[in-house]
Amino acid sequence: CVHTENCFVPTSEIIAVEETELNKKQHNTGKWQKMAKPHAFTVYYVKKARNHRWRCSDVTFWCVDEHLCNQWIQALKELLEMQKSRPKQLLVYINPYGGKRQGKRIYEQKVAPLFSLASISTDVVITEHANHAKDNLFEVNINKYDGVVCVGGDGMFSEVMHGLIGRMQKDSGIDQNNPKAPLVQCNIRIGSTDCICYSTVGISDPVTSALHIIVGDCQPLDVSSVHHNNTFLKYSVSLLGYGFYGDILKDSEKKRWMGPMRYDYSGFKTFLSHHYYEGTISFQPAKHTPGSPRDKDSCRTGCYICKKSGQQLAEQHKEYGLKHE
């Protein structure tokens, strides 16, 4: 661990270590250092805030001995190299119309500098039309990448998910139209925004998502496939809508020019249509014991609430049914 003021930072949450320029002001006081032949290095690390928000912070260490300074830098970099789950090469898809047409700017100003700081190489693709990312994933050499990053909404995540899973099945000779065919697991991780971010890291924030990607966090997601008459239709994660919800999404797609307001408009319009829906749902009960807030399965979010005292934690468990480490 590295000691930073009043806390300890585990090496798993260190983003990068860099030698610091000698004429740089000291980080904490803002005063010029008066040391004989000073040498310094800066440790960039994850600072966790409330509401699951993460930020990049830093602390600078000053040494008179240049050899000692270099030893620390080398030792910390070797520890970072031991973090095998961290990505080295990422494929980034940016929807220029996402985030109210701010997706490209947000990536370049908030995310790309963090990837560069963490020495992560990126290949960036600006999507030009629907299914551009999906089609591209069937062509690129995906084995050279540790993960794929989506800059956009849930639609971009859906494209990448279908492209990656479809590519894996194709390369493995699996017929996606066969509902009983076992799917080959995709080992390439995906980082995204919106609904997927809320369900994995607890907040839709580009900096928080980028930092989770940098430190190699991974949250497994179950994927289900949808078939009709032995024909593959879609893959689904997080949620699957039918009937009223499906009609809203179908109608709202024609009004993307309205922005987020299209969902309110389409929802009101669909509600006034007074459609009703019929369907049959069948499922297979889980064979294992259902989860419980009192079991030993740890929560992986690393949220602020996990750090509360035992009594507060017990109250949260009782109120929300959460599982924490």
Side-chain angles (χ1 to χ4, degrees):
C1 295
V2 174
H3 182 254
T4 62
E5 298 178 357
N6 297 321
C7 66
F8 288 89
V9 178
T11 54
S12 61
E13 296 178 5
I14 295 178
I15 300 169
V17 180
E18 289 186 347
E19 186 177 1
T20 305
E21 295 180 6
L22 299 182
N23 61 351
K24 183 179 180 180
K25 290 185 179 180
Q26 198 215 14
H27 178 69
N28 295 328
T29 64
K31 298 179 180 179
W32 294 103
Q33 291 297 301
K34 296 181 178 180
M35 299 176 65
K37 298 181 180 179
H39 304 278
F41 65 93
T42 299
V43 176
Y44 298 88
Y45 64 96
V46 172
K47 184 176 182 180
K48 298 180 181 179
R50 293 177 180 270
N51 301 322
H52 313 290
R53 192 179 299 273
W54 285 14
R55 286 294 177 264
C56 177
S57 189
D58 63 85
V59 59
T60 300
F61 297 87
W62 300 79
C63 306
V64 177
D65 188 339
E66 181 180 6
H67 179 66
L68 178 61
C69 182
N70 291 333
Q71 278 187 313
W72 271 103
I73 294 173
Q74 184 63 28
L76 288 172
K77 287 187 175 181
E78 288 177 358
L79 286 174
L80 293 183
E81 286 294 327
M82 295 173 61
Q83 306 294 318
K84 299 302 182 182
S85 63
R86 297 195 175 195
K88 299 294 184 183
Q89 182 84 22
L90 294 173
L91 176 59
V92 181
Y93 290 104
I94 300 177
N95 178 2
Y97 297 97
K100 298 180 180 178
R101 298 177 181 266
Q102 298 298 309
K104 185 173 182 291
R105 181 189 63 81
I106 291 173
Y107 173 79
E108 292 175 345
Q109 295 184 3
K110 295 185 177 183
V111 178
L114 291 174
F115 286 165
S116 177
L117 177 65
S119 300
I120 297 176
S121 301
T122 58
D123 290 335
V124 179
V125 177
I126 308 296
T127 59
E128 301 175 355
H129 52 79
N131 291 319
H132 183 172
K134 177 184 175 182
D135 296 339
N136 184 256
L137 281 166
F138 277 86
E139 301 173 356
V140 299
N141 178 15
I142 60 175
N143 295 321
K144 64 180 287 190
Y145 300 108
D146 302 305
V148 181
V149 177
C150 316
V151 182
D154 293 329
M156 176 62 75
F157 173 85
S158 179
E159 273 196 41
V160 171
M161 177 188 67
H162 280 82
L164 278 178
I165 298 178
R167 173 69 179 272
M168 294 298 294
Q169 309 321 306
K170 178 183 177 182
D171 292 350
S172 302
I174 302 297
D175 181 10
Q176 293 184 98
N177 290 319
N178 181 4
K180 296 183 179 181
L183 298 180
V184 176
Q185 183 177 346
C186 181
N187 295 319
I188 297 179
R189 290 170 286 180
I190 307 175
S192 184
T193 56
D194 290 349
C195 179
I196 299 300
C197 273
Y198 277 110
S199 62
T200 52
V201 301
I203 187 173
S204 181
D205 174 66
V207 173
T208 301
S209 295
L211 293 175
H212 275 284
I213 292 170
I214 288 171
V215 300
D217 278 350
C218 181
Q219 176 61 56
L221 288 175
D222 289 329
V223 179
S224 60
S225 59
V226 182
H227 292 78
H228 178 66
N229 292 335
N230 290 325
T231 300
F232 169 75
L233 299 179
K234 291 283 185 179
Y235 290 115
S236 172
V237 297
S238 183
L239 63 90
L240 177 64
Y242 166 78
F244 179 78
Y245 185 76
D247 283 349
I248 291 177
L249 292 181
K250 182 178 180 180
D251 185 74
S252 65
E253 278 299 305
K254 304 173 184 177
K255 302 174 179 63
R256 297 190 69 88
W257 55 271
M258 295 179 65
M261 284 296 296
R262 67 184 184 272
Y263 298 115
D264 295 331
Y265 174 81
S266 296
F268 183 68
K269 177 183 174 182
T270 304
F271 175 76
L272 293 180
S273 67
H274 295 290
H275 287 168
Y276 66 92
Y277 309 90
E278 294 183 357
T280 302
I281 298 176
S282 60
F283 64 93
Q284 183 177 0
K287 296 180 181 179
H288 56 79
T289 304
S292 166
R294 295 179 178 83
D295 62 28
K296 295 183 179 180
D297 293 337
S298 61
C299 172
R300 304 186 192 184
T301 60
C303 57
Y304 176 78
I305 201 174
C306 293
K307 303 182 184 299
K308 291 189 175 182
S309 66
Q311 182 178 0
Q312 291 174 311
L313 192 59
E315 292 175 357
Q316 291 289 349
H317 281 178
K318 183 178 180 180
E319 182 177 0
Y320 297 111
L322 299 175
K323 294 183 289 188
H324 290 79
E325 186 173 7

